[in-house]
Amino acid sequence: MAAHTPPESWTAITREVSPAFASCELTHQSRVPIDVDRARAQHDAYENALEDAGCRIERLAAGAGMPDSVFIEDAAVVFDELAVVTRPGAESRRTETAAVGEALAPHRPVATITAPGTLDGGDVLAAGRRVFVGVSTRTNRRAIAQLRAMLAPHRYTVCEVEVRGVLHLKSAVTALADDVLLINPELIPASAFTGFECLAVDAAEPMAANVLRLRDRLIVPKSFPRTAERLAKRGHAVVPVDVSELQKAEGAVTCCSLIIKGHGR
Ligand code: CIR
């Protein structure tokens, strides 16, 4: 009988939807009523999709003082060699990072962005050894310099990209593979990513570029069927998830988890 190698274990750290979720930060969207129970149900379904993809879920608690903490991606960035705990650009979000750092410590050595640097994980796009970081309303060049210094010993190159009109770099571009990006070229010019193949979102779905790449599949918001079809036609296994209540808070699919590949330290 052929030897069977079990797949490498992955962990997804998530954070529950805060009772104060409806008081989230908003930058480019207007406030509309949010159904917190529905947001919780959608978040549960999102976690189920991650479990189906082979991730073990570690869910952190969230207090009423942390409306946006479900968007855990902004509190840290996880690489194979280390995790970087951020200093979020929105002051209201700075209390989120302590528990995230504690949760990451068993998995990776942890480094931390310090003042005056500000960085949201949603601005960090890693594709292989290339890391693009959005200079945005949340992320500044001081933090990017810190991140570059942390990653240099591990042979990552860090490149700045100007972000305008959307909250984060990954609102406009995410990686489908180490050399292929899904992008809204109206928001970020594809020329910022030399050496990459860039697939455009469907023009009718400007916010569809945020997809979560897991081992053999892509988690995609259900509200973007045309872009999902484009991805499926290219041979991707596409898993649609309904994140409509999370989208009202300017969130998407990468922002609700920190994916940790492989075993602990
Ligand atoms: C915020 O403004 O911080 C939240 N309401 C949304 C954060 C979404 N984060 C992400 O896409 N990485």
Side-chain angles (χ1 to χ4, degrees):
M1 206 168 93
H4 175 68
T5 312
E8 184 193 34
S9 79
W10 285 19
T11 300
I13 304 186
T14 62
R15 197 157 199 177
E16 67 183 9
V17 174
S18 162
F21 182 53
S23 314
C24 61
E25 294 278 343
L26 287 173
T27 307
H28 297 281
Q29 289 180 206
S30 310
R31 198 167 295 279
V32 293
I34 294 180
D35 181 334
V36 177
D37 287 336
R38 190 147 181 255
R40 290 207 169 106
Q42 290 179 351
H43 187 248
D44 287 350
Y46 170 86
E47 287 178 334
N48 289 341
L50 266 54
E51 257 176 353
D52 286 347
C55 297
R56 193 179 59 83
I57 305 290
E58 252 183 66
R59 185 199 275 199
L60 309 186
M66 297 181 190
D68 279 303
S69 53
V70 65
F71 302 124
I72 191 168
E73 166 184 68
D74 294 321
V77 189
V78 181
F79 297 91
D80 289 347
E81 301 82 357
L82 79 164
V84 177
V85 171
T86 67
R87 182 168 179 268
E91 206 166 338
S92 67
R93 302 200 56 189
R94 301 227 172 112
T95 54
E96 294 175 23
T97 55
V100 174
E102 279 167 28
L104 287 168
H107 299 278
R108 297 282 189 275
V110 174
T112 303
I113 299 292
T114 54
T118 63
L119 182 86
D120 276 13
D123 275 319
V124 182
L125 168 64
R129 295 271 145 192
R130 295 186 66 184
V131 180
F132 297 91
V133 189
V135 181
S136 70
T137 57
R138 298 291 176 85
T139 296
N140 65 23
R141 292 195 160 85
R142 304 291 284 269
I144 298 174
Q146 291 178 34
L147 183 68
R148 182 177 287 118
M150 290 166 185
L151 293 178
H154 305 290
R155 294 176 296 104
Y156 291 90
T157 58
V158 172
C159 212
E160 292 176 10
V161 183
E162 290 284 342
V163 175
R164 286 199 196 91
V166 279
L167 185 58
H168 291 127
L169 178 64
K170 279 191 283 188
S171 314
V173 54
T174 57
L176 301 175
D178 284 354
D179 54 358
V180 185
L181 304 177
L182 177 65
I183 188 167
N184 178 342
E186 304 289 321
L187 293 170
I188 304 271
S191 58
F193 307 100
T194 45
F196 286 85
E197 180 190 352
C198 289
L199 175 71
V201 298
D202 188 283
E205 298 175 342
M207 295 309 291
N210 187 278
V211 301
L212 176 61
R213 171 190 174 199
L214 295 173
R215 279 195 189 87
D216 59 346
R217 64 193 77 185
L218 298 172
I219 308 286
V220 176
K222 198 176 161 196
S223 50
F224 304 129
R226 294 173 186 221
T227 301
E229 198 185 321
R230 229 171 242 204
L231 294 166
K233 275 197 183 135
R234 281 178 59 107
H236 290 284
V238 172
V239 179
V241 292
D242 184 358
V243 287
S244 58
E245 293 303 307
L246 302 163
Q247 286 169 321
K248 290 178 184 173
E250 230 165 323
V253 288
T254 62
C255 56
C256 295
S257 55
L258 290 169
I259 304 296
I260 303 170
K261 296 173 187 168
H263 302 280
R265 298 170 71 177

